[in-house]
Amino acid sequence: DAGVIQSPRHEVTEMGQEVTLRCKPISGHNSLFWYRQTMMRGLELLIYFNNNVPIDDSGMPEDRFSAKMPNASFSTLKIQPSEPRDSAVYFCASSPDMAGVGTEAFFGQGTRLTVV
Amino acid sequence: GESVGLHLPTLSVQEGDNSIINCAYSNSASDYFIWYKQESGKGPQFIIDIRSNMDKRQGQRVTVLLNKTVKHLSLQIAATQPGDSAVYFCAENSGGSNYKLTFGKGTLLTVNP
């Protein structure tokens, strides 16, 4: 298995532009997570999907952020409009079961977003 | 003004020595713990996990110890190698229907050849 695949690996965009990050989870995994990593706050959970349904988006910073999972093999995280403070590494992770029952999450390589 | 970054605890060891990385957690209801390794430019990678009904678990060159009394977790790496240089995170989960893994701030391990 190729693992969790994220694209793009790097994104540089101007403030105000729309940014879309993409994720393909590991086949057969039914849980998907979007995390953001910054030096200031470390790893933060943004949103969690289970069986393609958003379960908890309380970690999403504000209305500028949205996430979708139209099917079991694809998810997007969109920022519109982007701001410099959104600059971070965004990770997608998937798990074969709900992490609450003791299963680790497998992380992708991340997308490094720079908003200038 | 300049922002203050997250100051990671650091551990520097000589190649071949044993390393011990510590982690304190706050939620006494947490019943599942994971250690992740993150190399530069990569995503966190699972190393080893432990459930709260255990106090020790061993893997290949790694051992995790759990002390629920003081809410402390440690990762021991035997015969540390340069390839072990990375940031190590502990993560906790409080179980039940709670799916959230809460990550610690991480420890930077540097192995000197």
Side-chain angles (χ1 to χ4, degrees):
Chain A
D1 197 315
V4 176
I5 300 173
Q6 291 186 247
S7 64
R9 287 296 310 277
H10 302 273
E11 177 79 33
V12 180
T13 191
E14 291 186 345
M15 181 174 63
Q17 296 298 306
E18 177 181 296
V19 175
T20 300
L21 311 181
R22 297 172 175 79
C23 174
K24 181 180 186 306
I26 294 173
S27 177
H29 285 191
N30 56 12
S31 296
L32 184 139
F33 310 85
W34 282 100
Y35 285 86
R36 178 173 67 178
Q37 186 175 39
T38 62
M39 284 299 293
M40 290 293 290
R41 290 186 293 271
L43 267 165
E44 304 172 280
L45 177 64
L46 301 178
I47 188 169
Y48 158 64
F49 291 87
N50 184 252
N51 291 324
N52 313 338
V53 176
I55 302 300
D56 185 349
D57 64 355
S58 61
M60 296 285 261
E62 50 198 90
D63 292 345
R64 295 185 299 107
F65 285 68
S66 63
K68 294 182 180 180
M69 192 165 185
N71 57 63
S73 59
F74 185 65
S75 177
T76 59
L77 178 68
K78 184 178 295 186
I79 308 172
Q80 165 64 19
S82 58
E83 296 181 4
R85 61 192 169 117
D86 301 330
S87 298
V89 181
Y90 290 81
F91 287 103
C92 177
S94 70
S95 172
D97 202 347
M98 293 180 70
V101 293
T103 306
E104 80 269 21
F106 296 80
F107 283 78
Q109 297 279 51
T111 295
R112 180 174 293 278
L113 174 65
T114 303
V115 184
V116 297
Chain B
E2 184 177 2
S3 61
V4 177
L6 197 64
H7 295 287
L8 289 178
T10 59
L11 176 64
S12 183
V13 300
Q14 290 299 122
E15 182 178 359
D17 287 352
N18 296 333
S19 303
I20 300 176
I21 301 171
N22 297 302
C23 177
Y25 64 94
S26 57
N27 187 350
S28 57
S30 293
D31 60 0
Y32 179 60
F33 305 87
I34 308 174
W35 279 100
Y36 281 93
K37 171 187 179 184
Q38 186 176 23
E39 297 174 276
S40 180
K42 297 184 178 180
Q45 181 181 18
F46 171 87
I47 301 173
I48 191 168
D49 59 0
I50 189 168
R51 299 183 188 276
S52 59
N53 61 352
M54 304 171 69
D55 55 20
K56 180 179 180 179
R57 190 168 189 217
Q58 288 185 292
Q60 185 177 14
R61 284 202 306 120
V62 294
T63 301
V64 55
L65 299 179
L66 174 63
N67 185 330
K68 294 181 289 293
T69 302
V70 296
K71 295 200 284 287
H72 182 268
L73 197 65
S74 69
L75 177 70
Q76 301 178 1
I77 305 174
T80 314
Q81 303 168 0
D84 295 327
S85 294
V87 177
Y88 289 81
F89 294 94
C90 64
E92 61 178 299
N93 186 284
S94 59
S97 61
N98 186 345
Y99 49 85
K100 286 186 177 180
L101 280 177
T102 302
F103 282 82
K105 300 303 182 186
T107 296
L108 174 62
L109 173 66
T110 302
V111 182
N112 304 308

